[in-house]
Amino acid sequence: MSYDFQAIEAKWQKEWAERGCFEVETDPNKPKFYCLEMFPYPSGALHMGHVRNYSMGDMLARFLRKRGMNVLYPMGFDAFGMPAENAALKYKTKPHDWTWQNIEYMTSQLKRMGYSYDWRRRVESCNPDYYRWNQWIFLQMYKKGLVYRKTAPVNWCETCGTVLANEQVVNGACWRCETPVGRKNLEQWFIRITNYAQELLDNIDTSLSGWPERVRIMQRNWIGRSEGARLSFEVPELDYTIEAFTTRFDTVYGITFIALAPEHELVRTMLDKMPAEEAKKMSDFVAQCAAQSSIERAAVGGEKLGCKTPFAGKHPVTGAPIPIWLANYILMDYGTGAIMGVPAHDQRDFEFCRKYDIEIIPVIQPEGGHLDGATMEVAFEDDGISCNSGRFDGLPTQKAIQAMIDWGEKEGLCQREVNFRLRDWLISRQRYWGTPIPFVHCPKCGVVPVPEDQLPVLLPEDVEVREVGHSPLLDMPEWLATTCPRCGGPARREADTMDTFFCSSWYFDRYCSPGFDKGPFEPRDTDYWMAVDQYIGGIEHACLHLIYARFFTMFLADIGLLKVREPFTNLLTQGMVIKDGAKMSKSLGNVVDPTEIVDKYGADTVRLFILFAAPPQNDLDWSEQGVEGSHRFLGRVWRFVEENLEGLKGHGTDRVPMASLSDPAQREFKRKIHSTIVSVTHDVDKEKQFNTAIARLMELTNALYAFKPADETDHRLRREGVDVLLNCLSLFSPHMAEELWQMLGNAELVSRSPWPVPEEDALGADSVTIVVQINGKVRARLELPAGLDEAKLRETAFADASIQERIGNMTVLKTIVVPDKLVNIVVKG
């Protein structure tokens, strides 16, 4: 009987589905475990990164079921977004049709891999049953004052024809199409995620201990809490007060210029009061800056561009006039869009002043040193001693900061403040394929929310996408025209759609009760299942999806829908799959199609290789030779069971107690079986080192081949070893394990059989090898009975003839004894 993986895998996938093996229900009487991978975009087909991600999750889900957990393990699709519109243009189809075809095809691929999802719970974010609740949640946020509109400079991708959030600009380019991103002023929808900034930051230390430290650091930096002071610069000519935030109020005496972002609201007032020629020059500068991305403008070491205005602000302490400049490195996205320029102690300000010949005044000196603004080559940004600062001269930096803010508050010169780098979430997109924002625009009533009983606002499905640079919804008057729910008069629908990250910020809640139609989820179900116990996905989502999902969970808890305030207890960020030294990419021509590999070797082989080739957190270097090696290993297991089937079936399945064994070979083999259980359990459950767990199973397979049964006890031991091997192997290669388990005559599925429990008395060694050293150099290895105390080990080591000979007449200074490992004799002479 050959190992016909195609027939075997199809057989067991059908059997699992018919039996509903992986379907679960809310049951407060059972311990639960929620295992989840980040749901995929239905791009058309799975890639190897998907396979690696989902193989990890499936292995954990199978393991935890065996250990008695009620395991929720669902799958769905993050189905809105630009790629569907691009595909519609390319393939002359509709985004709706293209997306749903891909969803069904990728579902078939996932099923063919044998992943143990509860498919009844599949969620698709483009389904009206789902995005209805996107709209409902948006309205709850609006009611709580978290949703607002404003005109703002935004990141604009000309190719996609839409706005991008700051997080979606990567190295100055669009995260999707890599087009350079520019700036544009548009009226946009925002969510006040900044209201949750402090809790998002605090919980990193108190609630996210199960997350990788690298992700925690990235989130801390992205949220970016700063303590400092807000100060004001009056501009009498313009009847305006410029406000700026600084963490270094101790440098206030060193201000030599004020810099505004080119998008600052004061710029328009300035232009109106300037002569035409000067105004044109400044307008050209503003346009030049708008063509740069935020990343490019704020980059460390990037070119500093400035335009001096004819206006000045009043120094808040001295009253002296301070020239106002526009500068490209000042962004409206951060702080107030204005800074106090202190070039002696900020490198970017220093570079700007050197370029435009602005005065530099040091107000901090290094201990024992002296700075001269005219000759400084770089800004002095370290702590030091205050100087040129009036009554505060001579104070060390940290004391000066506090003393000067205290003084400034008392004198009304500043206000103590906490600021965050995190900005409010720009949620609106000028695209078609997304969740419609549930508002209408009424000439009489203004912007009005759609009543909840009229949700969902349906996205038209029979839509032709054209290369016109704007959403096709704007070309659909029959969809745009509606009635104002407040006055009953004619109104126009909001044509912007939501950022697709809105969809992925709560989908894990919907999995708990996907058919519920009276709310986004049934609280009874989320009370039981949430939080997600193990979340798996790429580290590239650290400052996008993972922050938004945390914010959503906090908000839903605040309105009484959730009991938890953090969505994911443990996070595993897997490495990439690379080939020929680079991440797999169509443009590089190094993509490996999972379907082709499954056709050639089978799903079990692909799963085994993808988990064996590298630790989960590391990048995996694709190797077809490695795939062949995994296939050969499964072939060895198959042949062993098949060739010894009669002997394995004919001698019972009861374990042989360790205490009944006297033969050293039997005891050693028994010990190998049970140490394998311990090691695999530890590697999977605690260390998440799935590659080493598989290596343990390979070692057990070698031991099975080497063990030659001679009597009934031997045969029973061999059956015990095979049962353990197949039970453990079912996590990684479940189809073949299921088939061999059935061939052995087991009535229950291996997928439903409990995890093997190691026998305590089968784990201790009969003997140990002790390394004996002299002054750290190995001089002997002694096979000794296990469990000897330090005194006996020392005595035995010194009694060894080779050790006695080497010590001779030398003086023994001390002896270091590590039981069951080492005796190190330190000598002199």
Side-chain angles (χ1 to χ4, degrees):
M1 181 179 177
S2 63
Y3 171 36
D4 184 354
F5 58 81
Q6 290 185 343
I8 290 169
E9 290 174 359
K11 168 188 172 180
W12 288 108
Q13 289 159 17
K14 183 174 182 289
E15 183 80 11
W16 294 329
E18 290 177 350
R19 293 199 191 194
C21 285
F22 312 123
E23 296 174 2
V24 292
E25 303 297 341
T26 298
D27 187 349
N29 295 317
K30 294 181 180 178
K32 70 90 180 180
F33 195 96
Y34 190 169
C35 182
L36 185 65
E37 306 107 6
M38 296 178 186
F39 66 167
Y41 182 80
S43 56
L46 296 180
H47 55 67
M48 278 300 173
H50 290 133
V51 172
R52 189 180 193 200
N53 193 348
Y54 308 147
S55 295
M56 291 178 189
D58 184 71
M59 185 270 304
L60 284 172
R62 289 176 179 275
F63 171 71
L64 291 159
R65 289 190 197 100
K66 287 176 167 292
R67 302 195 83 190
M69 305 296 285
N70 194 28
V71 178
L72 176 59
Y73 185 46
M75 175 50 72
F77 293 90
D78 188 10
F80 274 139
M82 272 296 300
E85 295 187 48
N86 294 337
L89 288 169
K90 183 176 180 180
Y91 301 114
K92 309 300 180 186
T93 184
K94 298 179 176 64
H96 171 272
D97 297 345
W98 182 83
T99 299
W100 280 100
Q101 288 168 5
N102 290 348
I103 287 172
E104 296 308 325
Y105 178 68
M106 291 176 69
T107 296
S108 70
Q109 285 187 298
L110 290 165
K111 288 181 176 179
R112 191 177 176 196
M113 290 300 301
Y115 297 137
S116 57
Y117 298 122
D118 184 349
W119 282 108
R120 301 170 306 156
R121 297 174 181 267
R122 193 182 80 176
V123 161
E124 313 89 9
S125 64
C126 64
N127 191 323
D129 290 342
Y130 184 83
Y131 69 71
R132 167 192 179 184
W133 300 110
N134 276 350
Q135 295 169 343
W136 183 88
I137 293 170
F138 191 79
L139 292 178
Q140 307 317 303
M141 291 181 173
Y142 176 75
K143 290 177 185 178
K144 296 296 183 181
L146 294 179
V147 171
Y148 66 96
R149 297 179 86 223
K150 72 172 183 179
T151 299
V154 295
N155 301 309
W156 180 261
C157 175
E158 197 64 41
T159 300
C160 295
T162 193
V163 166
L164 302 176
N166 290 333
E167 298 90 336
Q168 295 168 323
V169 180
V170 180
N171 297 324
C174 173
W175 73 304
R176 293 191 189 96
C177 66
E178 299 184 358
T179 298
V181 172
R183 303 286 283 175
K184 191 173 185 178
N185 284 321
L186 289 176
E187 190 163 28
Q188 297 289 301
W189 292 90
F190 290 83
I191 297 176
R192 287 191 173 91
I193 190 174
T194 50
N195 283 18
Y196 287 79
Q198 191 62 56
E199 185 177 4
L200 287 166
L201 184 65
D202 290 343
N203 283 13
I204 292 173
D205 292 323
T206 62
S207 304
L208 303 185
S209 60
W211 287 35
E213 182 58 22
R214 181 182 174 193
V215 176
R216 286 154 41 103
I217 290 171
M218 291 169 74
Q219 291 216 352
R220 282 192 202 98
N221 292 340
W222 190 260
I223 296 166
R225 187 179 193 275
S226 301
E227 296 183 8
R230 181 180 287 259
L231 64 162
S232 303
F233 300 87
E234 295 178 6
V235 188
E237 295 173 84
L238 303 176
D239 191 26
Y240 190 91
T241 300
I242 297 171
E243 295 198 335
F245 172 82
T246 179
T247 60
R248 295 298 305 274
F249 192 71
D250 62 310
T251 63
V252 70
Y253 285 96
I255 299 172
T256 59
F257 71 102
I258 300 164
L260 302 182
E263 301 85 3
H264 197 285
E265 65 178 7
L266 185 58
V267 172
R268 173 49 54 192
T269 304
M270 290 179 171
L271 290 170
D272 291 343
K273 291 183 175 292
M274 291 168 61
E277 187 175 339
E278 290 184 28
K280 182 180 185 309
K281 179 182 176 183
M282 196 158 91
S283 293
D284 289 346
F285 176 79
V286 170
Q288 179 186 4
C289 294
Q292 293 183 297
S293 71
S294 300
I295 304 296
E296 184 181 359
R297 285 168 56 178
V300 175
E303 184 181 8
K304 308 297 182 291
L305 302 176
C307 178
K308 188 176 182 180
T309 78
F311 305 101
K314 183 179 176 182
H315 193 292
V317 177
T318 68
I322 306 295
I324 300 173
W325 287 70
L326 306 188
N328 70 330
Y329 68 97
I330 310 303
L331 305 177
M332 282 304 300
D333 294 341
Y334 303 105
T336 64
I339 62 112
M340 58 177 225
V342 185
H345 306 293
D346 182 280
Q347 185 60 29
R348 295 191 308 168
D349 293 352
F350 180 88
E351 293 169 8
F352 187 78
C353 288
R354 279 288 183 252
K355 180 172 182 176
Y356 293 104
D357 198 23
I358 300 171
E359 185 181 12
I360 297 174
I361 302 174
V363 290
I364 302 172
Q365 297 284 1
E367 288 194 41
H370 176 75
L371 299 176
D372 183 339
T375 58
M376 291 175 68
E377 296 182 356
V378 294
F380 178 70
E381 298 181 318
D382 295 336
D383 287 1
I385 305 299
S386 291
C387 65
N388 299 323
S389 299
R391 73 179 73 178
F392 302 103
D393 284 357
L395 282 180
T397 294
Q398 294 305 314
K399 287 185 177 180
I401 291 173
Q402 297 306 318
M404 292 179 75
I405 292 178
D406 290 343
W407 168 76
E409 281 197 302
K410 184 178 178 181
E411 298 295 325
L413 304 175
C414 72
Q415 182 177 353
R416 196 181 297 270
E417 187 175 282
V418 173
N419 218 334
F420 291 92
R421 182 178 181 270
L422 180 71
R423 306 274 48 131
D424 282 342
W425 182 4
L426 195 164
I427 199 72
S428 46
R429 298 292 179 269
Q430 292 66 49
R431 303 308 307 172
Y432 154 63
W433 192 237
T435 298
I437 293 176
F439 278 78
V440 302
H441 299 267
C442 174
K444 294 182 180 179
C445 307
V447 182
V448 181
V450 174
E452 292 175 18
D453 61 5
Q454 294 181 25
L455 300 180
V457 176
L458 288 171
L459 190 69
E461 296 174 356
D462 189 19
V463 171
E464 179 184 355
V465 179
R466 294 177 296 163
E467 294 189 65
V468 292
H470 63 254
S471 169
L473 294 174
L474 294 172
D475 300 324
M476 301 181 69
E478 71 284 0
W479 184 82
L480 290 170
T482 188
T483 301
C484 174
R486 187 170 293 166
C487 72
R492 180 180 60 84
R493 290 196 188 280
E494 172 62 67
D496 283 359
T497 54
M498 296 183 192
D499 181 2
T500 55
F501 281 106
F502 200 98
C503 301
S504 60
S505 294
W506 69 280
Y507 74 104
F508 38 87
D509 298 314
R510 186 67 178 171
Y511 281 143
C512 298
S513 42
F516 191 61
D517 63 358
K518 294 181 174 57
F521 43 82
E522 169 62 77
R524 171 180 172 270
D525 293 324
T526 50
D527 287 352
Y528 175 69
W529 289 114
M530 287 296 291
V532 175
D533 296 282
Q534 181 65 67
Y535 200 36
I536 306 171
I539 199 168
E540 66 271 17
H541 295 292
C543 295
L544 291 140
H545 161 60
L546 289 173
I547 283 183
Y548 296 148
R550 295 181 59 215
F551 156 65
F552 258 66
T553 301
M554 292 171 186
F555 172 74
L556 293 173
D558 283 342
I559 63 172
L561 291 185
L562 289 175
K563 287 186 176 180
V564 299
R565 298 194 69 81
E566 288 290 346
F568 315 120
T569 304
N570 296 290
L571 175 67
L572 175 63
T573 53
Q574 86 283 355
M576 296 184 298
V577 180
I578 61 176
K579 186 171 184 285
D580 304 326
K583 180 182 178 181
M584 287 188 181
S585 164
K586 290 181 181 178
S587 62
L588 295 176
N590 64 347
V591 171
V592 175
D593 183 353
T595 299
E596 292 180 5
I597 302 298
V598 171
D599 286 344
K600 186 174 181 180
Y601 296 104
D604 278 346
T605 292
V606 175
R607 293 166 55 124
L608 187 75
F609 167 74
I610 213 85
L611 293 172
F612 179 59
Q617 299 86 350
N618 295 4
D619 290 344
L620 183 154
D621 199 350
W622 179 264
S623 161
E624 189 144 351
Q625 287 182 329
V627 178
E628 291 171 353
S630 295
H631 193 62
R632 284 195 300 272
F633 167 66
L634 292 182
R636 287 191 79 212
V637 175
W638 178 272
R639 286 193 302 276
F640 183 84
V641 176
E642 183 189 27
E643 291 170 1
N644 297 284
L645 189 58
E646 291 307 313
L648 291 167
K649 291 174 66 176
H651 296 278
T653 59
D654 293 338
R655 286 185 175 182
V656 180
M658 187 68 160
S660 68
L661 301 176
S662 57
D663 180 81
Q666 291 178 339
R667 291 178 64 84
E668 184 60 32
F669 185 61
K670 175 84 172 181
R671 191 173 293 114
K672 182 65 178 179
I673 296 168
H674 289 265
S675 65
T676 298
I677 299 172
V678 172
S679 297
V680 173
T681 304
H682 180 76
D683 289 343
V684 170
D685 189 34
K686 303 298 183 186
E687 298 296 330
K688 301 296 186 289
Q689 296 298 308
F690 314 132
N691 56 319
T692 59
I694 294 169
R696 309 294 185 195
L697 299 182
M698 293 177 174
E699 292 170 2
L700 179 57
T701 302
N702 292 338
L704 281 165
Y705 267 96
F707 187 72
K708 305 300 181 184
D711 56 23
E712 175 67 18
T713 299
D714 285 348
H715 280 287
R716 288 172 61 195
L717 277 173
R718 185 170 65 170
R719 173 58 188 263
E720 185 178 332
V722 170
D723 284 350
V724 167
L725 174 65
L726 295 181
N727 203 332
C728 295
L729 187 61
S730 70
L731 307 184
F732 309 96
S733 300
H735 308 88
M736 191 186 79
E738 201 77 80
E739 182 72 12
L740 294 176
W741 191 258
Q742 184 187 60
M743 286 166 57
L744 287 170
N746 292 293
E748 182 59 276
L749 299 177
V750 73
S751 298
R752 286 179 167 172
S753 64
W755 187 248
V757 178
E759 297 174 18
E760 289 288 336
D761 62 350
L763 299 176
D766 292 331
S767 64
V768 293
T769 300
I770 302 296
V771 175
V772 183
Q773 300 176 341
I774 298 177
N775 287 352
K777 293 185 178 181
V778 176
R779 298 303 183 188
R781 283 183 170 85
L782 305 178
E783 190 78 14
L784 301 174
L788 296 179
D789 60 21
E790 289 189 23
K792 192 64 177 176
L793 284 173
R794 186 182 295 108
E795 177 187 334
T796 307
F798 275 94
D800 181 77
S802 63
I803 298 300
Q804 288 180 348
E805 181 179 348
R806 287 188 177 272
I807 293 177
N809 296 321
M810 292 188 289
T811 302
V812 176
L813 299 178
K814 61 181 177 179
T815 307
I816 301 168
V817 180
V818 181
D820 290 351
K821 291 184 179 179
L822 169 73
V823 178
N824 185 26
I825 303 166
V826 182
V827 299
K828 179 182 179 183

